[in-house]
Amino acid sequence: MSWTLPALSVGEFAPSFEGATRANPHFHFNTVAGRYVVLAFIPDDARRTAALAAFDAQAALFDGQRLAAFFVADGADAQAPPPDRMPGMRWFLDPERTIRKACDQDATAAEWLLFDPSLRLLAREPIEAAGAFFARIRTLPPVSLHAGAPLVAPVLIIPRVFEPALCRRLIDYYEARGGQLSGVMREIGGKTVGVLDSMKHRRDVHIAEPEFRNELRDRLGVGLAPLIRRALQFNPTRLERYLVACYDADEGGYFQPHRDNETMGTAHRRFAVSINLNAEEFEGGDLRFPEFGSRTYRPPTGGAVVFCCSLQHEATPVTRGRRYAFLPFLYDEEGQRIRERNHTFIDNSAVDTARKA
C-alpha cells in the first residue's frame, strides 16, 4: 500500500485521532497536551534498532510529565511491537495505518515528529537523523516557558453569579440527597454512553424540581449570559444539566484532562460553566487548562469560570475538604439542531435532558 500526502508543516496542530495502545483501545492523542510529545513512525526494518538505541540514550528525559513519546507500529508490525517503556514511552498499535494517514505520513515514511504542549508541530526529522532530533529536545525550555511569554487560558472569570445564600441552598440540596458516582461519556458500539472509569472521581446530584431549575436558569440569564454575549459573541439559549457536583478529598476527587464535546452525544455543547459554591472551604480542586500552561483557576464562591467545551481541561485533585460546584453546559439553537440530529446515537439513560434556557 502506498500514497502520497502533503507533509504536516511546522506550526500546524496535530490532527485529532484515536488509536489503540496496549492499555487503552481508544486512546485520544489530544489528551496528551500540556507536555512536549514525540510521535515516531519507525517501520520494522533495520532502522528500528538504531532508532530505539537513540531513544534509549535519552530515555531519562521522557518522564511522561514534561516529555512523552509515542511510537507507531502499523500494518503487520502492529501485532507485536517492542514493549512499552513507561512512564515516558508507549506504542500505538495501528494495523490499518489510520494514524499515518491522519498525520499525512506516506506509507513507508520513517520520521520523528516533535509537538509542543499545545500540540503544534515544532520539528520533524528523518528517523536516521536521531542525533539532530534529540539535540533539539535537550534544548527545549520548560513547559511553562514554551511560548516565550506567559500563557493565560481563554476563559471568562465572572464573580457573583450566585449569591452566598443560593450557594448554600445548592450544597444543602446535595447533602439532603447524597451524590452518586458520575461517569464520562464514551463512544461504544456506535452509541454515546456514560461509563465509570479512572478518568474521574466525582459524585453528582441532578436537580429535578422545575421551580428550582427556573430560579437557577433566571440567575444565569441575569448574571452570566450578558457577559458571554459581550465577551464571546455567543448567545446561549439552552442549558444542559442542572447538576451539583462534589469532589471529596476523602475519596480523592478529581477529573483528569478531557474535552467536553468529543462524542456524538456531546457535540452540541459550546461552553462549560463551573460555579464554585464554597471556594474557601477546600484545597486543590482547581481548574487547569494544560494547553495553556500549569496555571490554575479558581472562581470565588458564587463565581463562574466559563470556557469553550473544546478546550482540554482538568479538575485537579481535592486535597482537603469538599469542593461543591454547579456545572451546566450552554449551547444555542444550532447546537439544539445538532443534538436532535445525533439523538439516535445517544444512550438516553446516560444523558440529562436539556430545556430552554
Side-chain angles (χ1 to χ4, degrees):
M1 180 187 301
S2 64
W3 58 83
T4 301
L5 295 169
L8 195 67
S9 300
V10 171
E12 284 190 65
F13 285 93
S16 180
F17 64 82
E18 176 187 294
T21 66
R22 288 185 169 97
N24 184 353
H26 303 287
F27 190 103
H28 287 269
F29 186 67
N30 64 21
T31 62
V32 302
R35 70 211 78 196
Y36 295 103
V37 181
V38 169
L39 186 64
F41 293 87
I42 307 178
D44 187 12
D45 58 27
R47 294 169 290 183
R48 173 172 290 181
T49 299
L52 290 176
F55 176 84
D56 285 344
Q58 309 298 326
L61 299 174
F62 289 79
D63 60 358
Q65 300 299 313
R66 177 178 179 270
L67 183 61
F70 293 82
F71 288 13
V72 180
D74 53 20
D77 180 39
Q79 301 303 316
D84 294 344
R85 305 182 189 190
M86 301 299 285
M89 188 276 268
R90 70 194 77 186
W91 286 86
F92 274 122
L93 314 177
D94 188 31
E96 302 300 322
R97 294 191 170 97
T98 56
I99 297 175
R100 273 191 182 274
K101 293 177 182 178
C103 294
D104 297 335
Q105 282 280 315
D106 290 342
T108 59
E111 281 193 302
W112 306 97
L113 304 181
L114 173 64
F115 295 94
D116 73 13
S118 63
L119 294 185
R120 294 175 66 203
L121 186 65
L122 266 178
R124 64 187 309 155
E125 295 284 354
I127 212 69
E128 297 85 357
F133 184 76
F134 286 105
R136 173 72 178 272
I137 285 177
R138 289 192 296 272
T139 66
L140 291 172
V143 169
S144 61
L145 300 177
H146 84 90
L151 290 175
V152 178
V155 304
L156 282 179
I157 306 290
I158 307 177
R160 299 178 296 278
V161 177
F162 288 168
E163 65 273 15
L166 179 55
C167 293
R168 183 51 53 183
R169 283 175 59 200
L170 287 165
I171 294 172
D172 291 344
Y173 186 97
Y174 176 97
E175 289 297 328
R177 290 155 181 82
Q180 299 295 317
L181 284 174
S182 63
V184 295
M185 307 309 291
R186 302 286 192 210
E187 295 282 355
I188 300 176
K191 294 282 188 178
T192 298
V193 299
V195 300
L196 295 174
D197 64 18
S198 61
M199 277 287 293
K200 171 185 177 184
H201 200 292
R202 191 183 80 199
R203 294 183 182 271
D204 297 343
V205 167
H206 291 263
I207 295 171
E209 293 79 3
E211 296 82 3
F212 200 4
R213 286 183 172 218
N214 290 340
E215 180 182 352
L216 294 166
R217 180 198 63 204
D218 291 344
R219 293 298 304 149
L220 295 176
V222 170
L224 195 77
L227 191 53
I228 291 175
R229 287 192 287 267
R230 182 188 307 167
L232 303 175
Q233 294 192 5
F234 177 77
N235 183 31
T237 61
R238 295 194 175 243
L239 189 151
E240 178 187 350
R241 302 197 320 188
Y242 293 80
L243 181 151
V244 182
C246 177
Y247 293 93
D248 191 337
D250 289 343
E251 297 181 342
Y254 66 89
F255 201 159
Q256 293 180 2
H258 63 284
R259 304 174 202 268
D260 288 327
N261 59 356
E262 291 192 315
T263 68
M264 295 292 283
T266 59
H268 61 282
R269 297 172 178 172
R270 292 296 178 261
F271 287 91
V273 179
S274 179
I275 300 177
N276 273 338
L277 303 178
N278 65 329
E280 302 81 10
E281 298 176 1
F282 61 87
E283 294 177 3
D286 295 327
L287 284 172
R288 178 184 290 134
F289 298 84
E291 294 163 304
F292 297 90
S294 60
R295 173 177 172 174
T296 58
Y297 299 78
R298 176 187 292 216
T301 293
V305 178
V306 181
F307 55 93
C308 184
C309 288
S310 59
L311 292 181
Q312 187 192 61
H313 58 284
E314 64 179 309
T316 62
V318 174
T319 58
R320 182 187 65 83
R322 288 181 168 185
R323 176 196 174 203
Y324 294 94
F326 183 72
L327 304 175
F329 294 111
L330 306 178
Y331 60 110
D332 60 4
E333 298 312 297
E334 175 58 28
Q336 176 62 13
R337 287 188 283 273
I338 292 171
R339 190 169 198 180
E340 290 172 354
R341 186 169 66 240
N342 290 347
H343 180 73
T344 57
F345 299 99
I346 300 171
D347 178 349
N348 287 310
S349 66
V351 180
D352 187 35
T353 58
R355 60 179 295 159
K356 203 82 167 173

